Amino acid sequence: MKHPLRVGAVLLSFALSMLVVVVAHAGETQALVQEDIDTLHADIRAMTEAFERGDAEPTIERTHPSLKAMAGGPDAFAAMTRHAVAQLRELGVSFLSLELGAPTRVYPAGAEEVCFVPRISVLEMQGKRMTSTGYMVAIRPKGGGPWTYLDGAGLRKHPDLLHQLLPDLERGIPLPPNTLE
């Protein structure tokens, strides 16, 4: 039998499987403008707050299509995410704090652009605190458009998954730290 804390951490990693932000123009890396940074931070905060309230819908809506496809399609992904959110609420997982760092520069990924947003979340479950130091992967169409996300926590044990989900993203990009303590 798995320890409830470990199961909760695994479920949290999967359910928050929105990755970092990647953005690129004309094949070159570039910095984001303040409006993009503000949008990224607002989106990530909104998804986290909704998740804590037990509302999986913003996460489902804003997850990158590649993860939905890997999960068996949009409906299967939505069902899994709703189930994971419900289980985490039953386990009493709560977010105590969220810190978002400056996004990385933007990287090209085929028809999309990607960046990574560092994130430190302090969670509590069954009286135990956990600190998740990780990142969100943010993805949008090259040249602009709405952001979608992947949670870097899902890459802790499977870092090769990043390039399965985003095969056109260049290899060797330095990623923010990704630990759970």
Side-chain angles (χ1 to χ4, degrees):
M1 183 170 131
K2 293 185 178 181
H3 188 277
L5 184 59
R6 180 70 61 197
V7 171
V10 169
L11 287 172
L12 180 61
S13 292
F14 174 76
L16 294 177
S17 290
M18 326 293 130
L19 299 176
V20 194
V21 185
V22 182
V23 179
H25 293 328
E28 298 179 10
T29 61
Q30 63 183 30
L32 293 167
V33 297
Q34 189 62 48
E35 181 179 349
D36 287 327
I37 294 168
D38 294 344
T39 297
L40 292 169
H41 284 180
D43 285 354
I44 294 167
R45 284 188 188 288
M47 287 186 293
T48 302
E49 290 167 3
F51 196 88
E52 184 176 11
R53 289 189 315 269
D55 180 4
E57 300 313 307
T59 296
I60 292 166
E61 289 173 22
R62 303 297 294 205
T63 295
H64 190 264
S66 63
L67 184 61
K68 293 176 182 180
M70 186 176 278
D75 293 339
F77 175 78
M80 283 188 260
T81 303
R82 288 181 190 113
H83 180 72
V85 169
Q87 285 190 329
L88 290 172
R89 285 189 59 87
E90 287 176 22
L91 289 170
V93 174
S94 62
F95 288 84
L96 302 178
S97 66
L98 174 67
E99 278 182 53
L100 299 172
T104 66
R105 63 188 188 198
V106 174
Y107 297 93
E112 298 176 308
E113 19 186 60
V114 178
C115 74
F116 302 88
V117 181
R119 177 186 70 196
I120 299 173
S121 302
V122 179
L123 313 161
E124 187 172 66
M125 185 172 83
Q126 299 175 348
K128 295 186 180 187
R129 285 186 182 212
M130 298 177 284
T131 300
S132 173
T133 302
Y135 56 89
M136 295 292 286
V137 179
I139 307 106
R140 71 176 175 188
K142 197 177 269 187
W147 293 98
T148 57
Y149 300 88
L150 298 168
D151 190 333
L155 303 174
R156 283 190 183 112
K157 292 186 179 183
H158 305 286
D160 56 317
L161 187 59
L162 177 62
H163 289 96
Q164 289 177 28
L165 295 166
L166 300 170
D168 295 327
L169 181 63
E170 72 180 81
R171 308 264 177 195
I173 292 172
L175 300 175
N178 198 2
T179 62
L180 179 65
E181 300 171 12

